[in-house]
Amino acid sequence: MNPQAILTQVKKTFSELDCTGGGVIIIKHGQTVLEEYFGEQGQQKGAKKDGPHTLFHLASVRKAYVGFAVAYAIYHNYIASIDDKLSYYLGNEEFFGDVSIRHLLTHTHGLHWQNEKIIKEYKAGCNWAYRDINVELLAKVIFEVTGKTIAEIVAEQVFQTLSFTETNWFSEKNEQHIEVIHNDSPFWYESDICDGSKMNMYSSLRELAKWGQVHLNKGKINGKQIIPEEIIQLSTTIQSPNSKPKHSPTNGFFWFIQPQQREGITELSPQGSFQLLGYTSVALLVIPEEHIVAVRGFNSFGSPEGFDYIKDIHDFGSTVYQSI
């Protein structure tokens, strides 16, 4: 076992990103084998040191919780099938066409915001593109069928059940929130809407790792079924349509899933692993084969020119796999 190799890899990434702080947690067979934090929570003089209670901006890693809300709705029969057409719940059948819940969850829907209007980039199921419009539409579906927001479902079914106190959507930040270094990125925004549809979710790395451990253990904690196994299975089983291009990423309920080893550099390693990736370079990786959960956190929104994000996240997963 060589946790130092993982720390070296994570600190290399830290040095290459435009960020002030970071951290990493590795869990093997339920035991923490590495937990370390470095840097500060912001650029201002006297900024707090990063630590266990630092709250990192999750960016798209939050979509694991959005996917959970959808799986919850399916498990409790609020949604009849993942292949239900979006128009069945939101109307406008002519516009949404063949777009289904499955397409929204696997980034194969073909819808995109352009000049405040929804456009179609490609026929549903025939391509793959990362667009946040799917989260907004799923939030509407969830509220339509359950009468609750994504955030309300997650609070009741996850945060309260798992005693999470450091994970949530936040309208205001406090001294525990890390500053996000965004350099006026056109993709960055802040929101005071906390219904689960926006990119304002933060978490400590410890709670993020625990969330990964729950998925590794198929909803169990200390041998007790806390979350229905069927919900976890829905979320972490391949749901991408067969019609998508073979070289494109493969998804469950937003989770990236590695179905098999493929030639070239992919975002995942090894076979059977699944993970969530955020634009802040936060990552949650689960490797069932080795009973590993790996979490890393930074506060850089986006990557500097010349930084190879896919190679870096692949190296992180490979280093974890080879070192533990």
Side-chain angles (χ1 to χ4, degrees), residues 10 73 81 92 102 132 231 265 280 293-294 300:
V10 172
S81 168
N92 205 346
R102 182 187 300 276
D132 266 350
I231 288 179
I265 296 297
T280 46
V293 174
S300 171

Side-chain angles (χ1 to χ4, degrees), residues 205-269:
L205 297 189
R206 283 183 175 178
E207 287 193 349
L208 189 58
K210 186 175 180 180
W211 184 227
Q213 190 70 35
V214 168
H215 284 75
L216 176 64
N217 294 339
K218 301 185 187 304
K220 290 182 179 180
I221 294 182
N222 297 324
K224 182 180 179 181
Q225 198 73 48
I226 302 298
I227 292 173
E229 182 176 349
E230 293 86 346
I231 288 179
I232 303 298
Q233 290 282 56
L234 277 172
S235 300
T236 58
T237 299
I238 294 173
Q239 305 290 356
S240 296
N242 293 329
S243 54
K244 79 170 184 65
K246 299 299 181 184
H247 66 274
S248 63
T250 304
N251 297 96
F253 279 31
F254 287 118
W255 288 87
F256 290 95
I257 300 174
Q258 181 73 303
Q260 59 185 8
Q261 294 292 355
R262 290 180 286 191
E263 293 183 6
I265 296 297
T266 67
E267 71 281 354
L268 276 171
S269 175

Side-chain angles (χ1 to χ4, degrees), residues 158-174:
V158 178
F159 299 159
Q160 293 177 23
T161 302
L162 302 179
S163 300
F164 279 11
T165 60
E166 298 177 323
T167 306
N168 218 326
W169 289 268
F170 291 86
S171 59
E172 297 180 358
K173 294 186 284 295
N174 59 43

